[in-house]
Amino acid sequence: MARHAGPLLEMNGITKRFPGVLALDRVDLAVRRGEVHLLLGENGAGKSTLMKILSGACQKDEGDIFLDGRPIEIRSPFHARTLGISMIYQELNLVPNLTVAENIFLGREPSRGGFVLRRRMEGDARRLLRRMQADIAPDALAKDLPVAQQQLVEICRALSLDSKVIVMDEPTSPLTERETTALFRLIRSLKASGVSVIYITHRLEEARLVGDTVTVLRDGRRVGGAPARSLSNERLVRMMVGRTLSQVFPALGRPRPGAVLDVKGLARAGVFGPVSFSLAPGEILGVAGLIGSGRTELARSLIGADPRTAGTIAIGGRAVRIASPRDARRAGLCLLPEDRKAQGLVLGLPVVQNVSLASLERLSRFGFLRLGAERREVQGLVDRLRIRTPSLEQLVRNLSGGNQQKVVLARWLAVEPRILIFDEPTRGIDVGARFEVYKLITALARQGVGIVLVSSDLLEVLGLSHRVAVMRGGRIAAILPRKSANPERVMRLAMGLTREGVRKGHGPSRSAPDGAART
Amino acid sequence: MRRELGAAWALLGLVVLLSAATRAFGGGDFLSVGNLTNILAQVCVTAVLAAGASFVIFGGGIDLSIGSLLAVSAALAAGALKADWPVPLACAAGVLTGAAFGAANGVLVAWLGLPPFIATLGMMGIARGCTYVYLGGAPLFSFPASFRLLSEGRLAGIPAPVIVMGAVFGLGSLILARTRFGRAVYALGGNEEAARLSGIPVRRLKASLYVAGGAAAGLAGILLAARLDSAEPQAGDGYELDAIAAVVMGGASLSGGVGTIGGSLVGALIMGVVRNGLNLLNVSSHWQKVAIGGIILAAVLFDVMRRRRQS
């Protein structure tokens, strides 16, 4: 078959309307054969909608799609696959109780007379896995595999379909550092065999490591595209959020002398540590690191949500015993958990009850709630944080992601903490709300609250922190002052690469634990 | 708020329907003060059980053992009466028995981590077995007249068990709506991890819900023993399902965090009204079971469909 000379895949003028929203506005995308094409953008920029159209999960309203120069209409996910377009979603889609081989050939098992030819199927699966240099047994059950290997199985499935285009939606978010490097290696080999990869991400620093070409979306429009190497972070951020970095991140105040938090030798055997650091009042300490590096686990152990096996914590110079989140709260140490819906909010309760949840002791007398005082206080916080809600009785379920995050924040402001730990404070919230959260974080620091900012958004960590602690393999690999922290240096430390690109030995590396694998 | 209103409308509709039916088919006067008081008195045991079950269910748990706890509490209270304990002391012994078994449920669920369904299923068997052992398989009956006042006594024309029921629901409603404890219950049922990270002592709280459920079962057992003038080993068999059905019909979600105790009362009344109406209409008890089951399904289905339309 003669190869078309132009791009392998072209999407021209794609428009998609949802009730009340123009999700995509005449978006163009051109992907060459054998390239890794980065699709960058904030939440709500339209990346997912565009890819859903490409994978047949949703239908475009206008525009044309060409594959190998021929116009195509993609009618369903099944149809997309037969055309050679496969999508690997963030939430992996394996059937847990089937084997690897059964998953790869699900629905098209090699068979004769209605009976599955198991041996042939496993042989085919083994060949595919070998091509990927994946050390996975074809007869292993999918549910027994770590997330990274499940992802590999999905990629094998895509390859078994002779896919020409494989779309990966934030593929590294559940992966540990070792798995991330392995995935990048795999993507390069896919490329070498002529497969095109569309790679959706909002992490600039990792994009640069694998990408050839970049397309940036914002508010449903294509705002630009260029070879990956030619774009600076500054430029990419400007394209993604429509502002310069200095407009994104508010100016930092100056930390005060002394230490509000002193952590020595904190560890949870087999999970993280030992970790030591101290935090000044008014200081923002960023914590960077890949999934599985122990960031979230450290945060949870600090407030007593998970057990710890060693270490001491001092607050304001006095040693404190923290065995539960209740102890931590009483000592003035609070956590905004990474998964707002699963760990932060009670979605079925109104705003007022969510905000007052951690202050019930103070807001009651002899066990009876002072309802008036509660409402006044919550109203004050709602105004101060500009939480957009029709009333205090509105169920939190009905608020937007950004406003939900502010509700959790309001709950902790109500207890007037001395130290506030933010775990992924801007995950899944839109650009405008992000800026507001940044402003709130810096304003809190100016008031003297010590802040630990855990985030997988490297620019966020670098833009908001006085110092950056980089975690790897459960330990702090380095704490960099603001001046000497740049994305490349932090990324290398996080992945354990020296300047020459050789891996240093490092501590226990584990597959992503349950808590961290969620995105 | 609107969900238990829905249950109240359903109750009203059933009352209208049944009074029209009894009038048309000559089943006696459904709407007479006497009959309505009768319904209230009949529904007391289920309603008090449902009040306790409400705490457990709003907090995200389930308690299958309350029917058995009712029996074991009634048996112990009866034993105390037979041993000539003063009536208040015997009643307290009954309630405390229920609370103690409930505490065992709480420890199993909150500290030993058993799923509530399994823990209370086990306790259901244990408590029922204890009742048979204690009673030797035969009922205890003929209690002092002062004990039977709990069934036959009236204050301003209101039967004593109805007063007890009113007090239980008044207290329960106050606790759930106005206290720190009540708030924490809804937070626990709505999202246990969020409640824990907010510094709520979730284990203690969870355990206390089963204690409340057990104490309510103990009280229900005493009301039943007073009404029958007898404590029987098979007392309250299957009542746990009536109580759970009442709570769910009252608008609660079995996954927790949603519901009001007033709704549970309405749910219990719906079942009482239907039973009474069908009795007056001379419908056989076999068909009544079918009707009650159907009404439970209809109530929950209605709620599910309304929520689906809202989202």
Side-chain angles (χ1 to χ4, degrees):
Chain A
M1 193 168 65
R3 273 190 177 179
H4 166 67
L8 174 68
L9 172 76
E10 264 187 288
M11 299 178 83
N12 291 336
I14 305 293
T15 297
K16 176 75 191 176
R17 290 179 202 91
F18 290 118
V21 193
L22 186 57
L24 291 172
D25 185 5
R26 284 162 291 156
V27 171
D28 299 335
L29 178 73
V31 180
R32 284 175 290 132
R33 195 181 311 277
E35 81 163 344
V36 178
H37 196 109
L38 297 171
L39 195 54
L40 289 174
E42 291 280 324
N43 288 305
K47 297 171 298 192
S48 300
T49 309
L50 186 64
M51 289 304 109
K52 275 184 187 158
I53 288 171
L54 183 61
S55 64
C58 127
Q59 302 299 314
K60 60 185 160 50
D61 293 328
E62 286 163 35
D64 304 298
I65 304 175
F66 298 89
L67 187 66
D68 252 337
R70 280 193 302 271
I72 53 170
E73 281 299 325
I74 301 166
R75 292 186 294 269
S76 68
F78 179 78
H79 186 216
R81 272 194 235 159
T82 60
L83 290 167
I85 300 167
S86 287
M87 175 104 187
I88 292 166
Y89 287 98
Q90 250 171 313
E91 299 84 33
L92 299 173
N93 284 317
L94 298 182
V95 185
N97 283 315
L98 292 185
T99 66
V100 168
E102 285 165 343
N103 266 292
I104 291 176
F105 294 101
L106 191 63
R108 45 195 180 88
E109 296 84 354
S111 63
R112 184 176 299 143
F115 290 93
V116 173
L117 302 170
R118 175 164 291 276
R119 200 168 306 155
R120 198 174 111 202
M121 184 168 80
E122 291 192 351
D124 290 351
R126 188 170 292 116
R127 262 190 299 285
L128 279 165
L129 290 161
R130 200 173 297 145
R131 181 175 152 200
M132 314 268 296
Q133 298 177 324
D135 185 21
I136 305 173
D139 57 352
L141 290 182
K143 65 174 179 192
D144 295 335
L145 302 179
V147 185
Q149 297 201 345
Q150 293 188 23
Q151 199 178 50
L152 279 174
V153 173
E154 291 242 21
I155 296 173
C156 280
R157 177 152 73 189
L159 290 178
S160 76
L161 288 155
D162 274 325
S163 296
K164 298 172 210 159
V165 180
I166 299 180
V167 183
M168 298 185 186
D169 187 1
E170 307 242 359
T172 58
S173 49
L175 300 187
T176 65
E177 65 237 29
R178 193 174 288 178
E179 293 161 351
T180 301
T181 33
L183 177 71
F184 288 173
R185 208 166 39 234
L186 174 67
I187 290 178
R188 284 187 206 107
S189 82
L190 286 177
K191 222 170 94 167
S193 64
V195 175
S196 301
V197 175
I198 301 178
Y199 187 107
I200 304 179
T201 186
H202 64 267
R203 297 184 195 175
L204 307 183
E205 64 285 353
E206 88 179 4
R208 208 72 56 76
L209 290 169
V210 285
D212 298 310
T213 315
V214 179
T215 293
V216 182
L217 298 186
R218 186 174 81 226
D219 298 333
R221 293 198 187 140
R222 180 180 184 278
V223 288
R229 278 169 225 295
S230 71
L231 290 167
S232 66
N233 279 339
E234 179 74 39
R235 192 89 198 275
L236 280 173
V237 170
R238 206 159 56 226
M239 279 160 65
M240 276 166 69
V241 305
R243 311 182 194 203
T244 63
L245 278 177
S246 57
Q247 286 171 317
V248 173
F249 298 110
L252 297 184
R254 194 185 289 273
R256 299 172 193 181
V260 66
L261 175 67
D262 224 326
V263 177
K264 285 208 176 68
L266 191 74
R268 182 177 175 201
V271 178
F272 75 88
V275 164
S276 302
F277 67 91
S278 79
L279 182 72
E283 183 183 31
I284 304 176
L285 175 70
V287 179
L290 300 170
I291 293 280
S293 61
R295 299 171 311 183
T296 294
E297 292 76 4
L298 167 65
R300 287 178 59 90
S301 281
L302 268 174
I303 64 145
D306 289 339
R308 58 172 171 273
T309 47
T312 58
I313 298 173
I315 290 176
R318 272 222 308 265
V320 288
R321 195 185 145 273
I322 294 176
S324 69
R326 189 179 174 81
D327 294 342
R329 189 192 72 201
R330 287 180 172 163
L333 176 60
C334 300
L335 167 73
L336 264 88
E338 64 172 339
D339 188 333
R340 190 162 60 234
K341 288 187 180 166
Q343 301 160 346
L345 296 164
V346 188
L347 292 169
L349 287 184
V351 171
V352 55
Q353 297 193 20
N354 269 282
V355 172
S356 64
L357 191 57
S359 315
L360 294 179
E361 286 154 45
R362 192 167 45 76
L363 289 170
S364 58
R365 193 179 293 140
F366 308 122
F368 283 89
L369 291 162
R370 298 184 292 143
L371 295 176
E374 180 191 32
R375 288 193 68 86
R376 272 194 303 283
E377 185 164 309
V378 172
Q379 186 65 56
L381 284 160
V382 164
D383 293 342
R384 179 172 152 206
L385 300 189
R386 282 187 285 162
I387 300 175
R388 274 173 287 278
T389 172
S391 80
L392 298 185
E393 305 307 324
Q394 175 74 290
L395 300 188
V396 167
R397 177 179 292 125
N398 300 328
L399 300 186
S400 72
N403 283 306
Q404 288 182 343
Q405 186 69 311
K406 288 192 206 165
V407 168
V408 188
L409 184 53
R411 177 191 303 159
W412 291 122
L413 294 189
V415 307
E416 301 189 342
R418 303 178 71 180
I419 302 134
L420 205 44
I421 306 171
F422 290 85
D423 195 356
E424 304 287 359
T426 59
R427 175 179 288 172
I429 69 180
D430 63 44
V431 191
R434 250 174 79 170
F435 299 146
E436 289 191 54
V437 170
Y438 292 161
K439 271 188 212 143
L440 288 166
I441 292 176
T442 46
L444 281 172
R446 282 172 187 280
Q447 289 160 24
V449 178
I451 287 175
V452 177
L453 172 67
V454 177
S455 175
S456 51
D457 186 332
L458 200 44
L459 287 173
E460 179 171 295
V461 171
L462 295 175
L464 281 179
S465 311
H466 294 98
R467 291 184 299 154
V468 178
V470 186
M471 289 195 71
R472 183 167 63 83
R475 296 173 191 214
I476 294 182
I479 298 186
L480 307 173
R482 181 180 179 78
K483 275 191 211 93
S484 62
N486 61 52
E488 283 69 29
R489 186 148 178 225
V490 171
M491 206 57 194
R492 283 181 174 280
L493 279 165
M495 299 183 71
L497 307 169
T498 64
R499 203 166 312 201
E500 294 76 32
V502 180
R503 296 182 63 83
K504 284 192 287 194
H506 62 81
S509 174
R510 311 158 302 103
S511 56
D514 294 340
R518 236 178 283 123
T519 54
Chain B
M1 295 293 123
R2 251 179 262 135
R3 296 176 64 172
E4 54 272 11
L5 260 175
W9 281 116
L11 176 60
L12 197 67
L14 282 168
V15 168
V16 171
L17 192 73
L18 287 167
S19 65
T22 45
R23 194 154 298 171
F25 300 107
D29 194 357
F30 178 83
L31 274 183
S32 73
V33 174
N35 189 50
L36 291 181
T37 319
N38 197 11
I39 292 177
L40 282 178
Q42 282 170 348
V43 95
C44 285
V45 172
T46 313
V48 169
L49 269 186
S54 298
F55 279 81
V56 176
I57 290 171
F58 298 168
I62 189 87
D63 191 344
L64 298 178
S65 69
I66 48 178
S68 299
L69 297 197
L70 178 156
V72 74
S73 306
L76 256 82
L81 287 170
K82 284 291 175 193
D84 291 329
W85 288 29
V87 169
L89 210 58
C91 292
V95 174
L96 284 177
T97 304
F101 275 91
N105 278 330
V107 169
L108 289 171
V109 172
W111 275 280
L112 302 179
L114 286 185
F117 192 95
I118 301 300
T120 60
L121 188 64
M123 194 57 68
M124 178 174 160
I126 291 172
R128 181 67 61 190
C130 287
T131 315
Y132 274 99
V133 170
Y134 180 75
L135 291 175
L140 284 174
F141 48 86
S142 294
F143 303 128
S146 58
F147 179 69
R148 293 210 312 278
L149 274 182
L150 272 174
S151 160
E152 292 154 6
R154 280 176 185 251
L155 195 68
I158 306 169
V162 176
I163 294 173
V164 172
M165 176 176 79
V168 166
F169 277 89
L171 186 68
S173 167
L174 187 70
I175 290 175
L176 283 171
R178 298 297 300 269
T179 66
R180 195 164 89 204
F181 176 87
R183 271 303 167 72
V185 171
Y186 287 106
L188 171 70
N191 187 342
E192 181 174 346
E193 179 71 354
R196 190 169 82 96
L197 292 181
S198 298
I200 285 168
V202 293
R203 283 186 175 162
R204 231 189 305 160
L205 178 64
K206 217 189 260 185
S208 66
L209 297 179
Y210 290 91
V211 174
L219 187 57
I222 286 164
L223 291 179
L224 186 64
R227 190 168 92 208
L228 303 176
D229 196 17
S230 160
E232 294 163 9
Q234 74 279 14
D237 192 19
Y239 282 24
E240 61 279 344
L241 298 182
D242 278 359
I244 293 167
V247 176
V248 172
M249 281 198 285
S253 154
L254 275 185
S255 51
V258 179
T260 63
I261 200 166
S264 304
L265 179 58
V266 173
L269 286 174
I270 288 178
M271 281 194 291
V273 160
V274 171
R275 278 214 178 98
N276 176 277
L278 295 179
N279 270 335
L280 293 184
L281 288 169
N282 271 327
V283 176
S284 83
S285 65
H286 303 164
W287 280 111
Q288 285 189 24
K289 281 189 198 301
V290 176
I292 297 274
I295 282 170
I296 292 172
L297 288 184
V300 178
L301 197 65
F302 181 70
D303 194 47
V304 166
M305 289 197 312
R306 190 173 41 184
R307 254 180 299 166
R308 196 173 298 159
R309 218 175 319 132
Q310 276 170 2
S311 61

